[in-house]
Amino acid sequence: MSRRRGVVAVLALSATACAGPESWLEPVGRSAVTTSTVWWILFWMGLAVYVAAMVTAAVAVVRSRRNAPVDTADGTEPAVSRRLVIYGGIALPVVVLLVLNVLTVPLSARVSDRPGTDGDELVVEVVAEQFWWRINYPQHGVITANEIHIPTGEPVHVRITSTDVIHSFWVPKLAGKIDATPGHTTELVLETDEAGRYRGRCTEFCGLAHAQMIVHVIAEEPDDFDVWLHEQARPQEVPTEDRIVRGREVFLSSSCVYCHTVDGHNAANAIGPDLTHLASRGTIAGGILANNRGNLGGWIVDPQAQKPGNLMPGTQIAGEELDLLIDYLMSLE
Ligand code: HEC
Ligand SMILES: [Cu+2]
């Protein structure tokens, strides 16, 4: 590849990062819109300064070729260059930096202010774990994983922490990045008027499956959100249908219950994601797999093949038992 083609390829590749599901250049969240406004101001000002500097340099080169060096007879600097230093080197930067400050400092302050802390704002607790996200709605007794539902048009207070190592939470279209640190809670406000599904990820290297630690924020109309919340808070009924009853028996009599909870049975431990409403999630395994029969089966039999390094071991369950188990899991609406 010629050098020019190489340069074009690199530029084209980096341009692909400007769009797509995780582009903060296409913000829809209140905080992300502010961040990107600040970025665009800095970008255009930076570009203007860069162009001005390059033009000045070019002029200097052309002039120095044409003219002999300007030396004053008495050894003092020529007036032209002194003026250039005063205006170009002192006055101009002062003006540019002043304008930048006036424009961006108030905006930057708005990125992290927290509207609506009147005590009844919606709170979501996010616990980052190797290699998935535990999501709690403490005011409503709802526990889920990897998918955060929020109502549109309302600031949602997301409190973020970790149980093991440092992770970082970033949903670029909605808000800035924030660390998830063990023993410490950080807070972020998510707010958007646009319903949609927004993808984010862990952005602090946290171990082998770090790159497969995806989070989705699902912003929906307040009515839809309320329906979702209500459904999630509902305890799972004890099944009566034959296959589901038998699938539940497979689940309860195998190792799954050491790590997973489905409320309505007695397993109190929850090393892994809560499975009470598993079937209502769009994805599993840290947001990397669509939640369907095939993926569930593949995941249960050999989770390490799908997501090397994750903390769920494989199982020996196979054949009819596996079928029943998947039936049961898929019934957990
Ligand atoms: C040693 C603990 C452990 C055992 C035993 C275990 N799991 Fe898991 N499971 C996990 C962990 C940890 C995750 C999260 C993996 C990730 O995404 O990184 C998980 C994820 C899952 C998920 C995806 C859930 C979601 O919303 O992403 C399903 C489904 C699941 N396990 C089912 C099972 C079943 C069925 C069994 C029994 C055959 C089982 N697990 C046994 C720890 C365990
Ligand atoms: Cu992580």
Side-chain angles (χ1 to χ4, degrees):
M1 200 190 293
S2 73
R3 181 177 295 175
R4 187 183 301 169
R5 271 215 226 136
V7 170
V8 170
V10 167
L11 284 178
L13 266 182
S14 30
T16 60
C18 298
E22 290 169 47
S23 170
W24 55 270
L25 286 175
E26 297 166 342
V28 296
R30 183 177 172 278
S31 169
V33 166
T34 312
T35 312
S36 91
T37 308
V38 170
W39 188 85
W40 280 112
I41 293 173
L42 292 174
F43 174 79
W44 287 117
M45 290 285 274
L47 190 68
V49 169
Y50 177 77
V51 168
M54 287 303 117
V55 168
T56 312
V59 167
V61 169
V62 170
R63 276 220 199 149
S64 73
R65 286 218 188 119
R66 229 185 282 142
N67 309 335
V70 209
D71 273 330
T72 46
D74 57 0
T76 57
E77 285 173 57
V80 171
S81 71
R82 200 175 313 131
R83 248 191 288 136
L84 205 61
V85 168
I86 290 172
Y87 290 115
I90 300 175
L92 188 66
V94 166
V95 170
V96 168
L97 292 178
L98 217 65
V99 170
L100 275 184
N101 268 297
V102 169
L103 288 178
T104 60
V105 169
L107 278 177
S108 305
R110 249 176 52 193
V111 171
S112 51
D113 69 355
R114 286 161 199 180
T117 20
D118 51 8
D120 55 36
E121 69 276 5
L122 178 63
V123 171
V124 182
E125 288 170 2
V126 173
V127 184
E129 303 189 22
Q130 285 169 323
F131 300 92
W132 59 284
W133 309 86
R134 192 189 298 270
I135 317 286
N136 301 331
Y137 292 72
Q139 297 145 317
H140 301 90
V142 166
I143 304 177
T144 181
N146 304 314
E147 297 185 346
I148 305 175
H149 286 245
I150 61 168
T152 52
E154 185 187 323
V156 178
H157 293 245
V158 182
R159 305 209 170 123
I160 299 160
T161 189
S162 160
T163 49
D164 38 47
V165 299
I166 299 175
H167 304 261
S168 194
F169 175 89
W170 193 21
V171 185
K173 286 189 173 220
L174 294 181
K177 178 173 11 176
I178 196 158
D179 275 357
T181 314
H184 180 73
T185 302
T186 43
E187 191 173 305
L188 192 75
V189 173
L190 294 182
E191 183 180 0
T192 179
D193 292 328
E194 274 183 57
R197 193 178 170 89
Y198 305 111
R199 196 168 77 192
R201 60 179 62 243
C202 177
T203 41
E204 181 75 47
F205 180 74
C206 59
L208 214 53
H210 160 69
Q212 290 169 305
M213 189 169 162
I214 310 290
V215 61
H216 285 97
V217 174
I218 295 119
E220 46 199 3
E221 300 296 332
D223 286 349
D224 298 339
F225 173 76
D226 286 343
V227 169
W228 176 83
L229 199 62
H230 187 76
E231 280 293 300
Q232 295 291 310
R234 172 179 59 86
Q236 205 52 257
E237 283 142 36
V238 176
T240 50
E241 202 188 314
D242 179 53
R243 284 189 68 83
I244 311 295
V245 172
R246 284 160 64 204
R248 181 167 177 264
E249 269 157 25
V250 175
F251 180 79
L252 292 179
S253 60
S254 63
S255 64
C256 320
V257 288
Y258 291 123
C259 301
H260 292 289
T261 301
V262 173
D263 69 16
H265 72 70
N266 293 327
N269 300 325
I271 290 172
D274 187 292
L275 301 181
T276 309
H277 293 284
L278 173 73
S280 72
R281 302 206 267 273
T283 58
I284 56 164
I288 62 160
L289 299 173
N291 188 4
N292 57 41
R293 200 177 176 87
N295 282 342
L296 267 177
W299 173 260
I300 292 166
V301 171
D302 192 358
Q304 297 303 318
Q306 314 275 342
K307 187 171 174 178
N310 90 83
L311 302 182
M312 172 161 154
T315 168
Q316 302 295 326
I317 301 172
E320 171 71 357
E321 279 207 312
L322 180 61
D323 248 14
L324 291 168
L325 176 59
I326 298 173
D327 278 351
Y328 168 62
L329 292 176
M330 291 195 69
S331 77
L332 299 173
E333 284 287 344

